[in-house]
Amino acid sequence: MQTEDPPVTDHRTRLLQGLAQSVATKGYADTTIADIVREAGVSRRTFYEQFDGKPAALIALYESASRRGLQVLKEAIDPARDWQTQVDQALSAYLSSLAQNPVLLRTLFVEILGLGATGLAVRRRVHDFMADFMLDVINAGHAPVRLERPMALAVVGGIHELVLQALEQDRGHTLSELAGPAGRLLRAVVGTQAG
């Protein structure tokens, strides 16, 4: 997720939706610029006014999907509740939202890494944002626990590894079932830091 978001235009939004639709149907490797612009209902020229190429569009789609995921997490938080309840609610909402489009999600989780160092850097930024969110929720509570940043990153990576495994096993529609194990992982990590 970029520090400064690019300007949101109707064309950009339509192109990202077109890419998502084509990827969900054909996969990233088989998706062409022609497929994307056809799905978006815009010209090839419009595509290149927004993106340098298909990899740049995939990065933008990944970042957009990640922002939506983070928004789902934020909306699930109820500061009046204890941190454990907040985490359980947020994880359940997040994983349920991911399960809505497992084909696209699998593409984003796998194909972003196929972009090499650029894709890895984008993935790392997204994990950093999610770890920061986790730190804010847990460390803002009144419980006598503190979560350290390296451990928050490890939990985010662990949760995403569980998601990836489910996607590889064609269990994308069951991602919400990972909320329990993901919550137990986080509570175990926090518990070891409290002692």
Side-chain angles (χ1 to χ4, degrees):
M1 295 186 324
Q2 300 172 348
T3 52
E4 289 186 31
D5 293 333
V8 176
T9 65
D10 182 49
H11 287 152
R12 185 179 185 85
T13 301
R14 288 168 53 193
L15 285 162
L16 291 178
Q17 290 169 346
L19 174 59
Q21 181 61 41
S22 185
V23 161
T25 304
K26 300 175 72 172
Y28 177 73
D30 292 333
T31 291
T32 65
I33 302 298
D35 295 326
I36 298 167
V37 299
R38 183 177 48 255
E39 291 288 344
V42 300
S43 69
R44 196 174 185 88
R45 180 174 156 223
T46 300
F47 177 88
Y48 285 107
E49 288 172 353
Q50 298 294 323
F51 305 108
D52 293 339
K54 193 170 79 163
L58 180 65
I59 288 170
L61 180 61
Y62 182 85
E63 290 175 332
S64 174
S66 298
R67 280 191 296 274
R68 282 193 306 277
L70 190 56
Q71 188 60 39
V72 166
L73 284 168
K74 288 178 179 179
E75 289 172 359
I77 293 300
D78 178 0
R81 311 293 297 266
D82 61 68
W83 72 267
Q84 295 99 328
T85 302
Q86 291 182 65
V87 164
D88 289 341
Q89 289 173 339
L91 286 171
S92 181
Y94 175 68
L95 292 165
S96 293
S97 75
L98 294 182
Q100 292 177 3
N101 195 338
V103 174
L104 175 61
L105 184 63
R106 185 181 193 289
T107 296
L108 293 176
F109 265 64
V110 174
E111 299 296 343
I112 198 70
L113 298 176
L115 299 181
T118 303
L120 187 58
V122 171
R123 182 177 178 269
R124 175 75 56 224
R125 282 195 305 271
V126 167
H127 281 207
D128 283 342
F129 277 103
M130 292 192 167
D132 289 343
F133 171 76
M134 189 179 293
L135 288 167
D136 289 346
V137 170
I138 293 171
N139 293 344
H142 301 295
V145 297
R146 299 289 296 168
L147 182 61
E148 296 172 6
R149 189 166 214 304
M151 299 309 287
L153 276 171
V155 170
V156 169
I159 291 169
H160 282 165
E161 189 61 28
L162 289 172
V163 169
L164 183 57
Q165 182 182 46
L167 294 171
E168 289 172 340
Q169 296 171 352
D170 291 324
R171 294 185 297 111
H173 60 285
T174 67
L175 291 179
S176 60
E177 295 173 8
L178 297 176
R184 288 191 297 277
L185 169 64
L186 179 56
R187 282 189 288 282
V189 168
V190 170
T192 61
Q193 291 196 323

